[in-house]
Amino acid sequence: MQLGPLQLTSNLFLSPLAGYTNLPFRLTLREVGGVGLATTDLVNARSLLEKNPKALKLIETAPADRPLAVQLFGSVPEEMRDAAVYLESLGVASVDINMGCPVRKVCRVGGGSAMMTEMDKTANLVKGMVQAVKIPITTKMRLGWDDQNLTAPDLARALEAVGVAAIFIHGRTREQGFSGTINLDGIRAVVEAVEQIPVIGNGDVTTPEAAKKMLDETGCAGVSIGRGAFYNPWIFQHTLHFLKTGELLPEPRFEERVRVMCRHLDLMVEVFGEGHGCRMFRKVAPWYAKRFGPANEFNKRVVQISSKAEFHDVLESYLRWRRQFVDENGELRPRFQPAPMVASFMQEPEVARREQIPVPKGPVEVW
Ligand SMILES: Cc1cc2nc3c(=O)[nH]c(=O)nc-3n(C[C@H](O)[C@H](O)[C@H](O)COP(=O)(O)O)c2cc1C
């Protein structure tokens, strides 16, 4: 997979998830394997230029966290350009521009989805960034503002003309929020609109089969995965294997899920300190637990941890409690096993509506 001058080892990308795609999560996913390029949470260009400590924390990285893209948002061309130049000087591999953020705070200042309705202005802003740096500039967008305004194909073509290296497209409109299903035809329309740059499809990919369906039916060059990686940090590695061999690897065993969860916590503590890292982990651990089988005892208590010792207490008593649900080989008895994941666009619409992937709560509930 080629992104401008950047050679990637896989065509699978980690989508930006504000509040989640921090250094510890990215390192955890990279250790599990299969990620071609990981992205930070969105970062305000002006805050970055002002060296605001929160913005600097969002771009914190490490040697094992490569290649790394930083996602910027903003609507002032000079600020976006200077922020890209600054990121290039730090060794960041590529810069992504947020055009698909439906949060009011971002749209009000002309960034995010608002950019999709002002094509010339946006193309000029992007051109200024492309001309100022050698690293690839990419953009991430939705299909358009609403079903009557599916502007993504036109915008993608205009952005290719000013030199963007790739387009990430979430197959929903701004109006849809996170409801409804992914519009694969809408993604295909973007693929068909550009001449040669890669288009990366995104939305509701929770299994290797879903990634393959998105690639096959839209002609996109790669797939970007967000919430699917919460449930399943193995999704990149398993998808890569499936795309190469057609073979589906077995789901990771419970012990492996617990091992990776503990590693994730260790990295959170390393990067954010014990108290803050553990408090942040309160919203992360329940995502791992969604694939544990019965886990209410764990979920109730893990949202109160403030130290690693407390976490391990919670985990140990959960492991004892969970024994009642397993057979003599330590496997969950069939009736306690979580239902297999199926992507929204691989289900009947009625079922897809019922089984939407939750949008995590927290500072990002408006996404
Ligand atoms: C909690 C949360 C935070 C998000 N933060 C960002 C962000 O910072 N920038 C962005 O472009 N998209 C953001 N998104 C959108 C995702 O990158 C992605 O496009 C969307 O979740 C669909 O992909 P998925 O179904 O694989 O998660 C966010 C989504 C969620 C649920």
Side-chain angles (χ1 to χ4, degrees), residues 143-151 173-176:
L143 294 178
W145 195 265
D146 55 29
D147 278 343
Q148 283 66 52
N149 295 284
L150 294 177
T151 43
T173 61
R174 183 209 188 266
E175 189 185 55
Q176 258 183 296

Side-chain angles (χ1 to χ4, degrees), residues 15-21 40-43 71 96-101 140 142 170 172 178 182 202-206 224-230 357-361 364-365 367:
S15 290
L17 299 165
Y20 291 88
T21 33
T40 62
D41 299 12
L42 88 173
V43 184
Q71 190 186 58
D96 186 47
I97 307 171
N98 177 291
M99 295 190 186
C101 166
K140 176 162 180 288
R142 286 184 174 234
H170 178 187
R172 289 191 173 90
F178 280 88
I182 289 295
N202 166 241
D204 291 6
V205 172
T206 48
S224 187
I225 301 172
R227 290 166 297 165
F230 286 152
I357 320 179
V359 179
K361 292 198 191 70
V364 288
E365 57 229 323
W367 277 90

Side-chain angles (χ1 to χ4, degrees), residues 154-316:
D154 286 345
L155 182 59
R157 202 177 305 115
L159 295 179
E160 180 175 33
V162 295
V164 301
I167 306 270
F168 292 85
I169 177 81
H170 178 187
R172 289 191 173 90
T173 61
R174 183 209 188 266
E175 189 185 55
Q176 258 183 296
F178 280 88
S179 64
T181 183
I182 289 295
N183 178 353
L184 294 180
D185 291 340
I187 296 180
R188 195 176 56 239
V190 178
V191 172
E192 286 167 0
V194 298
E195 275 179 28
Q196 50 182 22
I197 55 169
V199 171
I200 318 297
N202 166 241
D204 291 6
V205 172
T206 48
T207 61
E209 296 101 309
K212 182 161 169 27
K213 184 176 167 85
M214 187 176 273
L215 287 162
D216 289 348
E217 295 198 4
T218 70
C220 63
V223 168
S224 187
I225 301 172
R227 290 166 297 165
F230 286 152
Y231 282 110
N232 180 10
W234 293 263
I235 190 160
F236 300 98
Q237 187 202 53
H238 285 200
T239 300
L240 202 56
H241 185 84
F242 182 60
L243 294 176
K244 278 186 188 155
T245 66
E247 179 201 16
L248 278 173
L249 292 171
E251 289 243 334
R253 291 177 56 89
F254 172 69
E255 292 72 18
E256 175 65 354
R257 289 186 189 277
V258 170
R259 184 191 70 75
V260 170
M261 176 177 68
C262 292
R263 172 71 181 143
H264 192 161
L265 175 64
D266 286 346
L267 289 162
M268 291 290 269
V269 167
E270 245 173 64
V271 172
F272 294 105
E274 178 149 13
H276 188 44
C278 286
R279 281 190 297 278
M280 287 174 76
F281 205 66
R282 293 173 183 180
K283 67 175 183 182
V284 175
W287 284 94
Y288 282 94
K290 284 186 197 295
R291 306 304 293 162
F292 286 175
N296 41 347
E297 276 305 300
F298 179 76
N299 288 334
K300 259 195 313 221
R301 292 188 54 206
V302 82
V303 292
Q304 295 173 350
I305 58 159
S306 299
S307 68
K308 264 171 56 165
E310 280 172 29
F311 173 81
H312 285 286
D313 263 1
V314 171
L315 180 59
E316 266 155 43

